[in-house]
Amino acid sequence: MNQSNASSQRPASFVALLPLFVFLALFIGAGVYFTQQGVDFAFYQLPSVVAILPAIVLALLLSKQKLNQAIDTFIGGIGHSNIIAMCLIYLLAGAFASVAKATGGVDATVALGLSLIPSDLLLPGFFVIAAFIATAMGTSMGTIAAVAPIALGVSEQADISLPLMAGAIISGALFGDNLSIISDTTIAATRTQGCDMKDKFRENLIFAIPASLITLVAFTLAGHGEANVAPQSVDLVKVLPYLCILFLAVAGVNVFVVLMLGILLAGGVGLTTTDYTVVNFSKDIYAGFTNMQEIFILSMLVGGLAALMQQQGGLTFVSNLIERLIARFSKAKGEASCRAAELGMAGIVSLTNACVANNTVSIVVSGDIARDLAQKHGVSAKRSASVLDIFSCIVQGLIPYGAQALLIGATFAITPLEAVSYAWYCMILALVAVLIVVFRKRH
């Protein structure tokens, strides 16, 4: 997706960014309209893959190339190796999540967690359960869908504040999603920045570990009430596929190999321990592919749109603007320049995420600009990937119109605003991340 050398030679043009503003205006405008109408999941009524189509048409019209050449530029952006690799990983990650869930992996992991939670540590316990499942599954939404109904029943039994429990679940889900090797945000961040997933994972730990420990203490102090959770039937065999992919990914095995092995292992567990059949296995793989349809298509279209805006000088305009801000706040070179560049990356991905309410899309849109900044200011690829993922995670967990808040709000029958008000991990992570960016020594 990145074509930084070409973009840096293009004359800067604000007009070239208009298609992106059209996309954001349509997507956000529809969300605001449906919110006022009282429609559930208002920001998801107009599919993002449809909202981006008028933006693409405008980008083609604004191009100074001949139409056929502009279309070739668009198709070239879609077919860039980073975009194609990203989309293939999306498909495999979706297939693994689907097969593992169908074969009982999610239920087994939740049961294992519940069996280990002391009755007086329910809030931090559910934070840990959600964190582990999200890290293993690579999806905060899937985690919330699996854990929230159980957490709701336990909260009512133990008389725990529902918004407080919702905040713990969102916090754990986004902690795990942010760290997961197979999360779509990790895929997008590492592919756009050109680093290995294991390196980005280790870099993320620098931010996530202190933030998660502080969050655990906060939920422990806030927790009250006890509930005798019914004994759970724990099947460790069904947890193995999750543990396997975590181990292999951190060990540095190629992500395509990791996901293929995970799919085969999850399917094998189902075939050997239940009445799961090869036909079911194949259908679940395909179901996983279809679950990734929107982000798959959107990533390709964003890649094509980015290529057009890049060819017309739009990304150069943004890059130059951020460069001027960096120069204003950082007169020195070296560490100061790196620090300012990282804060610039954090700002642009945060603003984009606040607009599109989708952390993966915000990373894809911001990826090229962040990579240019990293290369110019000596920021390592793993560091820029980590900054993009961290700050998109922070914003995603705090916007009440994000999918996570909407889903858990509907499940708990509370407002999304109440839910995000207790997403303490995201708040703590924001503070920790800014402090680390500002004060950490560079080598």
Side-chain angles (χ1 to χ4, degrees):
M1 181 176 176
N2 181 63
Q3 300 163 352
S4 56
N5 293 335
S7 74
S8 62
Q9 297 170 357
R10 300 289 177 187
S13 171
F14 174 78
V15 174
L17 295 174
L18 291 180
L20 179 60
F21 296 143
V22 168
F23 168 50
L24 297 180
L26 287 173
F27 189 71
I28 297 170
V32 171
Y33 170 77
F34 286 115
T35 298
Q36 293 175 341
Q37 299 300 310
V39 178
D40 292 335
F41 294 89
F43 277 80
Y44 297 86
Q45 295 302 307
L46 175 63
S48 55
V49 293
V50 175
I52 200 173
L53 294 180
I56 293 170
V57 172
L58 178 59
L60 291 171
L61 293 175
L62 290 175
S63 177
K64 295 179 181 179
Q65 296 176 301
K66 293 182 179 180
L67 180 60
N68 287 344
Q69 291 177 319
I71 292 174
D72 285 342
T73 299
F74 174 71
I75 294 174
I78 289 176
H80 192 277
S81 59
N82 277 349
I83 294 292
I84 298 302
M86 189 188 305
C87 290
L88 290 176
I89 296 172
Y90 286 151
L91 293 180
L92 292 176
F96 170 75
S98 178
V99 172
K101 182 177 182 180
T103 54
V106 175
D107 293 337
T109 305
V110 172
L112 175 63
L114 287 174
S115 69
L116 299 175
I117 297 178
S119 60
D120 58 342
L121 295 175
L122 293 174
L123 274 175
F126 270 99
F127 170 78
V128 172
I129 289 178
F132 178 78
I133 293 176
T135 304
M137 289 180 67
T139 164
S140 55
M141 288 296 288
T143 298
I144 292 171
V147 177
I150 299 170
L152 175 61
V154 170
S155 297
E156 292 175 339
Q157 187 177 348
D159 195 27
I160 294 175
S161 163
L162 292 184
L164 194 56
M165 178 61 84
I169 301 301
I170 290 178
S171 294
L174 283 166
F175 167 83
D177 190 7
N178 180 231
L179 278 182
S180 177
I181 301 294
I182 63 171
S183 166
D184 49 3
T185 57
T186 293
I187 295 165
T190 54
R191 296 306 303 184
T192 59
Q193 302 308 295
C195 71
D196 291 335
M197 291 188 177
K198 62 182 178 64
D199 292 333
K200 179 261 183 188
F201 173 81
R202 293 166 182 164
E203 190 71 19
N204 268 31
L205 289 176
I206 297 171
F207 298 86
I209 288 179
S212 62
L213 292 177
I214 297 171
T215 303
L216 275 173
V217 172
F219 280 122
T220 299
L221 295 176
H224 62 276
E226 297 185 12
N228 295 318
V229 180
Q232 303 291 312
S233 176
V234 179
D235 191 344
L236 291 177
V237 173
K238 293 181 179 178
V239 184
L240 286 179
Y242 290 133
L243 298 177
C244 178
I245 65 167
L246 286 174
F247 174 78
L248 291 176
V250 174
V253 178
N254 181 278
V255 65
F256 290 99
V257 175
V258 171
L259 290 172
M260 288 296 295
L261 289 175
I263 293 168
L264 292 173
L265 185 56
V269 167
L271 292 170
T272 56
T273 62
T274 66
D275 57 357
Y276 195 65
T277 67
V278 174
V279 173
N280 295 139
F281 185 33
S282 64
K283 288 181 177 179
D284 287 326
I285 290 175
Y286 183 70
F289 290 169
T290 59
N291 290 340
M292 290 292 182
Q293 175 179 294
E294 182 172 359
I295 191 62
F296 181 97
I297 297 173
L298 185 61
S299 291
M300 291 196 301
L301 295 180
V302 167
L305 180 61
L308 287 170
M309 292 192 299
Q310 188 177 61
Q311 192 278 328
Q312 296 164 31
L315 300 187
T316 302
F317 176 87
V318 176
S319 182
N320 290 346
L321 177 62
I322 296 176
E323 286 286 355
R324 288 195 293 271
L325 291 174
I326 291 174
R328 174 178 296 182
F329 294 103
S330 173
K331 300 297 183 183
K333 300 293 184 183
E335 284 193 15
S337 177
C338 290
R339 186 177 300 115
E342 289 169 17
L343 290 173
M345 298 174 200
I348 191 169
V349 78
S350 298
L351 180 61
T352 304
N353 204 136
C355 291
V356 302
N358 186 301
N359 43 352
T360 305
V361 175
S362 69
I363 292 172
V364 173
V365 170
S366 308
D368 277 348
I369 298 171
R371 186 164 181 167
D372 281 345
L373 287 171
Q375 291 173 347
K376 290 178 182 177
H377 296 275
V379 179
S380 65
K382 65 179 181 180
R383 187 60 180 253
S384 61
S386 180
V387 168
L388 287 179
D389 204 354
I390 287 287
F391 282 92
S392 66
C393 163
I394 290 168
V395 174
Q396 188 66 28
L398 295 177
I399 50 176
Y401 48 88
Q404 292 80 0
L406 294 172
L407 177 58
I408 203 161
T411 304
F412 277 42
I414 60 176
T415 67
L417 185 58
E418 287 179 299
V420 299
S421 297
Y422 291 91
W424 290 343
Y425 173 72
C426 298
M427 302 174 191
I428 294 168
L429 180 62
L431 177 61
V432 169
V434 170
L435 290 175
I436 288 175
V437 169
V438 171
F439 293 107
R440 184 185 179 189
K441 290 289 185 181
R442 273 72 176 173
H443 300 288

